[in-house]
Amino acid sequence: MRNRLWRVAAGLAIVVGVGLFALVAAAREDGAGLAIETWAVGSDGTPVEVEGQAAELLGRFGGPGLDALRGVSLMKSVGTNGVFRIATTSGKSCAAVGQFEAGRVTQLGIVQCPIDPSFPSAERPALDLSVITIAKGAPRGITRVQGLAADGVVSIGLVDATGAIAAEVPTAGNAYLLEDVPPGIVGLVALDKAGTAVPIQGSQT
Amino acid sequence: MRYRVAIGTTVVALIIAPVSAAATWSWGFNYLGNSSSNGNCMAPAVAVPGAVCSGWNYWNSNYMDKRGGGYVYLGWQKDAYTSGFIGVSGVTQVATVPSTVGLGGYLKSAAEYVSGAASYLQTQAYS
């Protein structure tokens, strides 16, 4: 009788344990694991003008759920390469990367305007525009890390094939940019000040 | 007679100009899932099936209006072994330029299913 009770108790413990693990995993997967109470982007950046190819590319964006694009702000730069935030009349944020000179964006290379989940939010703590490349004889890997991060995301973790965080890119002014990524990076995570990590949507190779 | 030739030349130029100015490729709105294919993508750099690609061209940019579904790549294919993408999920609008993913020249625009539910989307390429 006692053996049977032990078996039932052990079975229940396993079921509860598996359930708790699934709940924690699900919470971490949707970003709820980060210790961030209010989802916001505190940095204003520097307003910039948009012209030429950049204006033409932005002209394709808008419509239901997004409405019209408003101002463009430079959030981070390395030389003439910049990470930009684009405000919309819906209140949602877009992100872009490209070249700028003398306060003018002349060329945009990637633009993304997420509608659902929007940025910033628990489901999208970072609006990632990182580049994934495939070359002959090499596995898929992330070769450029860039994007916008919510307040409270202190760094972006570069995840290798073993699942370990091989390096971190600090965020500054709600943006991050790393042009020389070490080889073998296959994913990205957003990290808060407590070191909690959640996967960044769109960064899995 | 000289005026007629001039007018005729102008009319021909006006007819040809919009065609030669910019080419556009478009796919969708349709579902992009693990069995989707339009027969244009080159494996192994891009999944076949599981992806749709434009024809070859000197494209300048592409665009995707994704109305739902899982995780997909949008980017470019240079040959069967060379591609560059960014990954997107959820409902989103996104555009890329070949040089930003490290590619250039004669390319195919590529949209590839990665995981999750099939995505309802439209994708375009511009030259």
Side-chain angles (χ1 to χ4, degrees), chain A residues 45-141:
Chain A
T46 305
V48 290
E49 298 292 324
V50 176
E51 61 185 27
Q53 179 269 0
E56 185 185 330
L57 203 66
L58 291 182
R60 295 178 197 150
F61 290 78
L66 200 59
D67 298 332
L69 305 189
R70 291 194 290 124
V72 179
S73 299
L74 174 65
M75 307 297 283
K76 185 177 183 63
S77 64
V78 175
T80 58
N81 293 325
V83 179
F84 306 93
R85 182 187 184 199
I86 304 159
T88 71
T89 53
S90 67
K92 296 182 170 71
S93 287
C94 305
V97 294
Q99 279 79 53
F100 71 101
E101 195 171 346
R104 292 181 175 276
V105 184
T106 54
Q107 174 88 21
L108 286 177
I110 300 173
V111 182
Q112 186 180 183
C113 295
I115 296 166
D116 184 23
S118 61
F119 168 80
S121 62
E123 296 79 15
R124 204 184 291 270
L127 176 38
D128 189 61
L129 304 179
S130 295
V131 174
I132 298 162
T133 60
I134 302 160
K136 190 172 186 178
R140 293 185 180 208

Side-chain angles (χ1 to χ4, degrees), chain A residues 10-37:
Chain A
L12 277 173
I14 289 169
V15 168
V16 170
V18 168
L20 280 173
F21 178 81
L23 282 173
V24 170
R28 289 172 70 93
E29 189 70 26
D30 70 9
L34 292 180
I36 296 172
E37 292 180 3

Side-chain angles (χ1 to χ4, degrees), chain A residues 109 113 116 132 140 201 204, chain B residues 61 71 73 85 89 91 93 97:
Chain A
C113 295
D116 184 23
I132 298 162
R140 293 185 180 208
Q201 288 199 18
Q204 298 80 28
Chain B
S61 62
Y71 179 38
Y73 287 158
F85 299 99
S89 61
V91 181
Q93 297 176 18
V97 167

